[in-house]
Amino acid sequence: MTPTPRAKKPLKSRSPLFSNARLGIPTAAGAALALVGGVALWSNAGRANAVPDRAPGTHAAGFTAVAAGDIAEQCTASDSDCAHPKTAALVKKINPAFVLTMGDNQYDDARLKDYKRYYDKSWGAFKAKTHPVAGNHETYDPDGKLAGYKSYFGAIAYPKGKSYYSFDQDNWHFIALDSNSLNSAQLKWLKADLAANSKKCVAAYWHHPLFSSGEHGNDPVSRPIWKLLYDAKAELVLNGHDHHYERFAPQDPNGKADKNGIVELLGGMGGANPYKIEEVQDNSEKRLTDTFGVVKLNFTDTGFSWDLVGTDGRTKDSSPSYSCR
C-alpha cells in the first residue's frame, strides 16, 4: 500500500562502537549490500552480530512461536502472486505453540467481510492460537475504528474487553499493545502489568516501531512504551508497519547502543507489498526487503533467538542467541 505521509525524520548521531555483553560478541560500524537468491539484503559489514552464533534453525528446548505483521492483501491462493496463503503455509509447517500478528492483518480497510474473504482463508486456520494486535489499517473500517478486527477476532483480541492484553507461556510474559491509541489509560495499564509480572523474560509487540529504516521510519509514538519496558528490563519488542524485515542490536529508548537494552525485531513481511529501505538507523543489524516470510521465534526459560523463514522454505536470516536479564 502507499505509505501514509510522515514528517521528515531528524538525523541522528552515529552510535559508537560497543561490546555487547549480552551476546558475548563485539560489534562495529559499516554497511554492505548483497544479493541473496535475488533478494536485496543489507548487513553491517564487519559486525559480528550479522553472523549468528548458532547454526540456522537450531535452538535449545523450549517452545516456538511464529510472528509477522502486514499480512492479508485482497487476494487468494488462486492468484499466483498472492503472498499471504504462502506465509500461512509456513505457519502450518512450523506448527508453533501460538501465532503473533503485529497489525495490518487485513487490507485495505480491515472490514469484517474482507477478514472473512481473505485473512480467514489463509491465516484464519490458526485463529484459535493467534494473539493479534491491530494496525493502522484496522482503524480505517467504515463501520468504525477496529470494528471488523473486533468482530472477527472477538475475545481472542479482547480477552478482558480492551484492545491490549498480556499472557504467559512458561517463563515468558507476552504483552500485546494497541499503538493506535497509546493514551494514558493504556500506559497506566502497561505499568501495572509489568509491576505484577513474575516471569523472568518479557516480550512486547505492537504495530508502529520506534526504530525503522523503512519508508515509514521511526515513530516516536512508541517511545513511552519503550521507556516502561526498558525500566522493567524487558528483552524483546516486535513490530510491523514497514513492510520489510529488520533486526536491531540491544538499545535504549533513545536509540543508544546498550548491552542491557531491548532487542527490536521488525517483521512486516507477512504478505503485503514490500517497502524500500530509506534511511538506515543506528544499531540496525540486518535489513531484508522484497521478500515474504514469517519469523520463527525460539524461546527457552532463559533466552531466545529466531529465524526468518522465506516462502521458499529457506532460512533468510538467523539472529544471535540472547539471554534474558
Side-chain angles (χ1 to χ4, degrees), residues 136-218:
N136 53 294
H137 278 266
E138 271 77 26
T139 70
Y140 302 158
D141 189 340
D143 292 330
K145 180 179 178 180
L146 307 186
Y149 170 79
K150 184 175 183 179
S151 295
Y152 179 75
F153 284 110
I156 294 172
Y158 287 74
K160 293 187 177 180
K162 298 184 182 300
S163 57
Y164 45 90
Y165 57 94
S166 63
F167 64 97
D168 295 331
Q169 177 80 25
D170 295 355
N171 206 27
W172 278 83
H173 185 61
F174 293 89
I175 305 172
L177 298 169
D178 182 0
S179 56
N180 296 298
S181 56
L182 289 175
N183 52 30
S184 58
Q186 185 172 179
L187 292 174
K188 182 179 179 180
W189 172 89
L190 174 58
K191 187 174 182 179
D193 182 83
L194 288 167
N197 171 52
S198 62
K199 301 297 183 180
K200 178 179 178 61
C201 308
V202 176
Y205 60 106
W206 63 89
H207 189 58
H208 301 84
L210 178 57
F211 305 107
S212 172
S213 300
E215 294 186 23
H216 286 303
N218 296 353

Side-chain angles (χ1 to χ4, degrees), residues 227-247:
K227 289 181 178 179
L228 290 173
L229 292 169
Y230 180 82
D231 290 344
K233 300 185 183 338
E235 279 73 33
L236 175 65
V237 159
L238 302 101
N239 302 121
H241 198 42
D242 265 331
H243 301 179
H244 71 279
Y245 166 85
E246 186 168 13
R247 60 176 166 90

